[in-house]
């Protein structure tokens, strides 16, 4: 048996650019063909037993896939909505969005250690930490992770990661979490447009329509609050965060391509190291200049900060490695489902007004997001499905026309042998 290898590519989802699985390569074990004696054997019970066992295995596998898919969707939805709401709650006592971004990004360092624990528990051929690290470093080139590679291939993504999170969290201070979460869903439309322009990806009319819907939803969301300066600034911050996230994904695909599970975990841990080494000075400067100031460390809501960081880390882990047990589309559906969850919470905890314009804007952006989830060959599949339905309808019509004429004859033919003995 060959090992299963998975390649992942970056996909920005919600408030942080993350890496999501795009391709799984494997090799099935070949089945031995039956010998001459087996081929001549009666096929009744044996074939029926094989078919039933095969269907049972298939149904069990499908049920397992569905079960894990539901679990992943619920985990993505709850972790993302929970982290957003907890960030909003944190700002009531701790008005420091950049410090919160820095604190949560430091937890990225845990990605590779957690991956290695999973490797030790699941892999048949266990490697040491040093061996696994060296193998994952091949992702950066033949020379591994050198100082030059660190500053040219990791540092830019660390900056984009910080900007994405900071702009998103800063927007939560300005507008409600429902608007922030739904506006960030436009990220996928920006990814498509950048990929089409920079990466020369395949042109798809339905995705252009989705991008237009996303832009229309942004305008309508701005109009819903009457173009107030406070609201416009918050919406601009969210759109900027979505743009940084889209740029992160496209640049990753352009410069680094795709990565395996271990390589993605190592890359995210490196972003955490970059944050600790080079971004730490910024919260310190903001504190002493009193831009983000708190009177004492006892006043910091450590429970909220750690809770937000744990939920965000959980969200990124599930979004990165959930593809091993389910489909990536389901994880994206979990992101969309977090919007109504935030809307329900905002309805009971804040003074948000769900007027007609806001509801239509949310529906338009959600529809555009779902259109972007369609596979590239969706039109071919749709044509095949319609063709099959037409052929089946013609066959049923032909059978229905032939049945009335053949009914009496078949009855006579069946009746004759019983009397002619």
């Amino acid at each position: 048996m060959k090992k299963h290898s998975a390649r992942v590519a970056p996909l920005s989802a919600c408030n942080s650019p993350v890496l999501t699985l795009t391709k799984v390569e494997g090799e099935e074990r070949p089945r031995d063909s039956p010998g001459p004696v087996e081929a001549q054997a009666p096929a009744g019970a044996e074939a029926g037993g094989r078919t039933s066992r095969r269907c049972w295995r298939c149904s069990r596998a499908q049920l397992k896939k569905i079960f894990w898919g539901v679990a992943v969707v619920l985990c993505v939805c709850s972790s993302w909505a929970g982290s957003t709401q907890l960030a909003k709650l944190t700002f009531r006592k701790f008005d420091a969005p950049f410090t919160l971004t820095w604190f949560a990004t430091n937890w990225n360092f845990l990605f590779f250690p957690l991956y290695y624990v999973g490797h030790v528990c699941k892999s048949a051929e266990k490697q040491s930490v040093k061996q696994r690290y060296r193998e994952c470093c091949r992702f950066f080139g033949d020379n591994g992770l050198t100082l030059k590679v660190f500053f040219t291939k990791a540092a830019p993504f660390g900056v984009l990661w910080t900007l994405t999170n900071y702009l998103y969290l800063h927007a939560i201070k300005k507008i409600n979490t429902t608007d922030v979460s739904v506006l960030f869903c436009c990220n996928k439309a920006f990814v498509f447009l950048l990929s089409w322009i920079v990466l020369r990806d395949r042109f798809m009319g339905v995705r252009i329509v989705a991008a237009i819907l996303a832009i229309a939803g942004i305008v309508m969301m701005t109009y819903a609050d009457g173009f107030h300066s406070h609201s416009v600034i918050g919406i601009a911050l969210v759109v900027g965060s979505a743009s940084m996230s889209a740029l992160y994904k496209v640049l990753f695909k352009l410069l680094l391509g795709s990565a395996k599970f271990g390589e993605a975990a190592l890359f995210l841990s490196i972003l955490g190291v970059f944050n600790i080494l080079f971004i730490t000075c910024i919260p310190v400067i903001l504190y002493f200049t009193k831009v983000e100031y708190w009177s004492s460390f006892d006043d910091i809501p450590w429970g909220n900060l750690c809770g937000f960081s744990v939920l965000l880390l959980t969200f990124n882990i599930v979004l990165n490695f959930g593809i091993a047990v389910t489909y990536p589309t389901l994880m994206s559906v979990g992101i969309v489902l977090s919007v109504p969850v935030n809307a329900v919470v905002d309805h009971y905890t804040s003074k948000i007004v769900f007027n007609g314009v806001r509801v239509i804007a949310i529906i338009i952006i959600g529809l555009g997001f779902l259109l972007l989830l369609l596979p590239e060959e969706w039109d071919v599949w749709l044509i095949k499905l319609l063709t099959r339905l037409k052929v089946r309808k013609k066959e049923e019509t032909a059978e229905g026309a032939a049945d009335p004429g053949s009914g009496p004859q078949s009855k006579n033919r069946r009746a004759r042998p019983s009397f002619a003995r």
Side-chain angles (χ1 to χ4, degrees):
M1 288 287 291
K2 292 184 179 180
K3 292 182 181 178
H4 292 274
S5 60
R7 308 293 296 183
V8 295
L11 173 65
S12 297
C14 297
N15 92 331
S16 56
V18 295
L19 306 170
T20 302
L21 193 74
T22 57
K23 184 178 180 182
V24 177
E25 300 173 354
E27 193 172 6
E28 295 181 356
R29 180 180 297 172
R31 297 181 179 179
D32 298 333
S33 58
V37 179
E38 294 178 353
Q40 295 174 2
E46 188 175 351
R50 288 181 180 177
T51 304
S52 61
R53 278 179 293 183
R54 190 176 303 167
C55 293
W56 173 245
R57 290 175 183 174
C58 183
S59 61
R60 286 185 62 184
Q62 289 177 350
L63 288 174
K64 187 176 180 181
K65 199 87 170 179
I66 293 173
F67 171 78
W68 280 110
V70 173
V72 167
V73 167
L74 293 177
C75 188
V76 169
C77 178
S78 58
S79 61
W80 170 232
S83 62
T84 304
Q85 292 295 332
L86 198 55
K88 186 78 171 181
L89 185 62
T90 303
F91 290 143
R92 296 178 182 177
K93 299 179 180 179
F94 186 71
D95 189 9
F98 194 93
T99 304
L100 181 59
T101 301
W102 169 83
F103 183 79
T105 305
N106 289 337
W107 290 58
N108 279 10
F109 178 78
L110 297 175
F111 266 96
F112 189 75
L114 291 174
Y115 162 77
Y116 182 75
V117 171
H119 164 75
V120 171
C121 295
K122 295 293 183 180
S123 180
E125 298 180 1
K126 297 178 175 58
Q127 297 177 329
S128 64
V129 178
K130 190 175 182 180
Q131 290 174 338
R132 199 64 192 163
Y133 170 78
R134 287 181 177 179
E135 185 174 338
C136 293
C137 279
R138 296 177 185 174
F139 169 67
F140 297 100
D142 297 334
N143 297 326
L145 183 61
T146 61
L147 195 61
K148 180 181 178 180
V149 170
F150 179 81
F151 283 105
T152 56
K153 293 186 177 181
F157 295 102
V159 174
L160 289 175
W161 180 288
T162 302
L163 286 175
T164 301
N165 285 270
Y166 171 68
L167 292 175
Y168 187 89
L169 292 176
H170 197 66
I172 293 177
K173 290 177 52 183
K174 302 291 184 180
I175 55 180
N176 58 75
T177 57
T178 303
D179 293 352
V180 173
S181 59
V182 73
L183 285 170
F184 197 85
C185 290
C186 298
N187 154 63
K188 290 188 72 69
F190 299 157
V191 170
F192 163 70
L193 293 175
L194 284 176
S195 299
W196 180 39
I197 296 172
V198 178
L199 303 178
R200 305 295 181 182
D201 281 359
R202 177 187 173 188
F203 174 82
M204 291 182 63
V206 67
R207 294 187 178 178
I208 289 292
V209 173
I212 295 173
L213 290 175
I215 296 172
I218 293 172
V219 176
M220 292 185 67
M221 191 68 73
T222 308
Y223 176 75
D225 288 331
F227 292 96
H228 297 299
S229 59
H230 203 67
S231 175
V232 171
I233 292 173
I235 292 173
L237 289 171
V238 182
V239 174
S241 176
S243 302
M244 292 296 103
S245 182
L247 183 61
Y248 173 99
K249 177 190 173 181
V250 174
L251 285 180
F252 190 99
K253 190 174 181 180
L254 179 66
L255 300 177
L256 299 174
S258 58
K260 297 179 182 179
F261 283 124
E263 295 168 350
L266 177 62
F267 183 81
L268 291 171
S269 293
I270 291 172
L271 293 186
V273 174
F274 172 81
N275 186 74
I276 294 172
L277 295 178
F278 298 98
I279 306 296
T280 303
C281 60
I282 298 179
V284 175
I285 294 172
L286 294 177
Y287 175 79
F288 285 106
T289 56
K290 295 189 178 182
V291 176
E292 293 186 358
Y293 181 78
W294 53 94
S295 57
S296 65
F297 285 92
D298 294 333
D299 296 334
I300 298 176
W302 292 107
N304 291 347
L305 264 68
C306 293
F308 170 78
S309 302
V310 169
L311 287 175
L312 191 59
L313 181 67
T314 303
F315 170 78
N316 286 326
I317 290 175
V318 175
L319 211 60
N320 273 288
F321 308 119
I323 188 60
V325 293
T326 187
Y327 306 100
T329 304
L330 288 178
M331 294 185 289
S332 298
V333 171
I335 297 171
V336 176
L337 291 178
S338 66
V339 176
V341 173
N342 284 322
V344 172
V345 176
D346 284 345
H347 177 71
Y348 289 102
T349 59
S350 62
K351 297 180 180 179
I352 183 174
V353 178
F354 287 99
N355 52 26
V357 178
R358 175 174 272 107
V359 173
I360 293 173
I362 292 174
I363 294 173
I364 287 176
I365 295 176
L367 179 60
F369 186 91
L370 294 176
L371 287 177
L372 289 166
L373 298 180
L374 291 174
E376 291 187 357
E377 298 181 354
W378 71 275
D379 51 345
V380 178
W381 294 352
L382 182 60
I383 292 173
K384 288 182 179 179
L385 178 61
L386 294 176
T387 304
R388 289 180 181 178
L389 292 176
K390 288 181 180 179
V391 171
R392 185 176 296 178
K393 188 174 182 180
K394 288 181 180 179
E395 291 177 353
E396 291 177 354
T397 305
E399 290 177 359
D403 284 344
S406 60
Q409 296 178 2
S410 61
K411 288 182 180 179
N412 293 335
R413 289 177 182 176
R414 291 178 183 174
R416 284 175 187 173
S418 61
F419 291 101
R421 276 190 179 181

